[in-house]
Amino acid sequence: MMKILVTGGAGFLGSHLCERLLEEGHEVICLDNFFTGSKNNVRHLLNHDHFELIRHDIITPIDIESDRIYNLACPASPIHYQFNPVRTIQANVLGVTHMLELAKRTKARILQASTSEVYGDPTVHPQTEDYWGNVNPVGPRSCYDEGKRVAETLMIDYNKQFHVDIRIARIFNTYGPRMALNDGRVVSNFILQALQENAITIYGDGKQTRSFCYVSDLIEGLMLLMESERFVGPVNMGNPNELTVLDLANRVIEKTGSRTNIVHKPLPQDDPVMRQPDITRAKAELGWSPIVSLDAGLSKTIPYFQEKVSSSL
Ligand code: NAD
Ligand code: UDP
């Protein structure tokens, strides 16, 4: 049994990770400032003997002994990370530095939740880890994209200079239960709109692509990477099953049986045209690849939103 710190543990991915780590018999310290996360996401864990919840912002240092640190603390959806862009980049520069200093002092292994956004609006397709990306340093997405790029650099340099034991996962679009209802991401927006019979909002012509990974697959990948003894990454983690945003809208309409229609809204600035992970490295180094199809994943996700919609009536 290990003592494991999960920052951003009350968020969408973090809450699933805490749950899985407890199932494996570990002691979990969940740290969160509740900006986008919620106590509700971990309410079912609060009485667990091996679970502890701490309200804290990683922009301020903290001293906690642990064997492992999963650093997930950062708002992930464009509307949330653009709400207070300075705080977003601070979470990735100051926050990541504080977590690395903690790892250095306690000799904990630390995993950074990086992102496909380090590739920006990619000119290489699908994206391999060797691609350096195409990121606008002064656009609306920069606080997140550049923040996560600096975070990777900090991780690599703390490893080189101070021998901190690091892991870097580049996470691609992931979906599932406990995504925040108001986070504006495409899967949560489309499911809610379909269930409430509101028009599905497609930004631009809907021909831009994304590749969606179900949350349980992603969490298995993160845990495998963390416990890999010789491989540190960076490694892409996502489902290579690419589709257009328009295709996604039609899949959601079909699966919810909604009678809604589609409306087009302006495409946000710097919205990446295409995104698909090349997961050759994850397969070779970790033996990991996703197993949940989009159809199966949506079937597990829609009831969660259905329940939220019903309970808000
Ligand atoms: P989320 O917004 O649901 O979770 C982030 C959590 O971090 C929230 O609970 C939030 O309250 C907390 N948080 C934010 N800033 C904090 C701070 N300064 N101090 C302490 N806590 C803070 O998002 P998520 O989808 O669960 O994403 C988790 C991590 O994975 C993020 O780092 C994100 O960048 C990364 N990621 C997610 C995806 C995805 O598709 N879900 C894709 C790429 C990368
Ligand atoms: N999108 C959309 N309608 C929505 C929300 C998002 O068409 O209501 C589009 C968005 O423009 C982008 C894609 O869906 O092209 C994925 O958006 P999301 O915010 O989920 O993630 P990211 O852009 O960070 O991949």
Side-chain angles (χ1 to χ4, degrees):
M1 180 171 114
M2 286 187 289
K3 195 167 173 182
I4 302 183
L5 175 63
V6 181
T7 76
F12 160 49
L13 297 182
S15 61
H16 286 276
L17 178 61
C18 289
E19 205 172 270
R20 280 288 294 117
L21 293 170
L22 287 169
E23 271 169 30
E24 294 289 307
H26 300 298
E27 191 179 331
V28 174
I29 304 163
C30 168
L31 186 154
D32 207 293
N33 70 351
F34 301 117
F35 171 44
T36 53
S38 148
K39 212 172 182 181
N40 282 335
N41 286 338
V42 290
R43 195 170 295 285
H44 59 300
L45 307 177
L46 291 177
N47 287 331
H48 198 294
D49 285 348
H50 295 150
F51 183 77
E52 201 179 333
L53 178 62
I54 300 174
R55 179 190 284 265
H56 178 79
D57 192 312
I58 61 162
I59 290 174
T60 307
I62 190 165
D63 203 12
I64 294 174
E65 294 286 333
S66 71
D67 304 296
R68 300 281 186 265
I69 304 170
Y70 285 89
N71 188 43
L72 273 58
C74 176
S77 87
I79 58 165
H80 283 154
Y81 70 64
Q82 289 170 26
F83 175 75
N84 189 338
V86 171
R87 275 195 96 76
T88 299
I89 194 150
Q90 283 177 338
N92 286 298
V93 180
L94 298 176
V96 171
T97 303
H98 294 146
M99 288 303 124
L100 280 162
E101 283 293 326
L102 182 62
K104 181 176 152 211
R105 192 190 70 69
T106 59
K107 303 208 172 358
R109 180 178 294 173
I110 178 168
L111 181 148
Q112 168 65 8
S114 188
T115 170
S116 53
E117 300 281 344
V118 298
Y119 303 123
D121 190 3
T123 54
V124 166
H125 194 74
Q127 293 78 57
T128 55
E129 291 86 351
D130 302 331
Y131 176 50
W132 290 357
N134 176 33
V135 174
N136 177 359
V138 291
R141 299 174 82 100
S142 319
C143 58
Y144 184 76
D145 300 7
E146 296 289 22
K148 291 283 186 179
R149 286 168 68 94
V150 174
E152 286 199 11
T153 310
L154 281 165
M155 295 285 289
I156 293 291
D157 287 342
Y158 265 77
N159 172 257
K160 271 194 214 138
Q161 205 172 327
F162 304 119
H163 311 291
V164 172
D165 192 6
I166 61 152
R167 302 289 182 273
I168 302 173
R170 290 186 181 153
I171 304 170
F172 284 63
N173 298 65
T174 302
Y175 69 100
R178 300 199 206 117
M179 291 182 88
L181 270 65
N182 64 347
D183 80 2
R185 283 189 266 192
V186 69
V187 175
S188 44
N189 263 13
F190 284 3
I191 294 178
L192 276 176
Q193 289 163 345
L195 292 175
Q196 296 176 319
E197 306 280 350
N198 291 328
I200 303 261
T201 53
I202 292 199
Y203 302 158
D205 60 11
K207 290 192 184 136
Q208 69 271 38
T209 67
R210 294 293 186 273
S211 310
F212 297 97
C213 185
Y214 187 65
V215 59
S216 57
D217 281 334
L218 194 273
I219 299 300
E220 293 311 309
L222 292 183
M223 289 167 63
L224 276 173
L225 174 61
M226 180 64 109
E227 295 313 322
S228 160
E229 284 310 320
R230 42 173 201 95
F231 176 63
V232 304
V235 61
N236 290 338
M237 291 203 160
N239 192 320
N241 182 16
E242 181 187 18
L243 78 168
T244 65
V245 164
L246 188 58
D247 283 341
L248 176 71
N250 287 322
R251 297 280 274 277
V252 170
I253 291 173
E254 189 190 308
K255 287 208 68 85
T256 51
S258 176
R259 285 159 302 153
T260 188
N261 59 318
I262 286 175
V263 292
H264 290 267
K265 298 244 168 135
L267 189 67
Q269 189 193 326
D270 297 343
D271 199 275
V273 176
M274 55 193 172
R275 185 182 294 151
Q276 183 191 31
D278 179 318
I279 59 164
T280 311
R281 192 181 280 185
K283 279 185 186 159
E285 298 289 345
L286 303 170
W288 177 84
S289 54
I291 53 174
V292 182
S293 66
L294 181 64
D295 197 55
L298 288 175
S299 296
K300 291 166 191 266
T301 309
I302 291 167
Y304 173 81
F305 284 93
Q306 180 79 67
E307 202 217 299
K308 294 282 167 196
V309 169
S310 313
S311 61
S312 69
L313 288 177

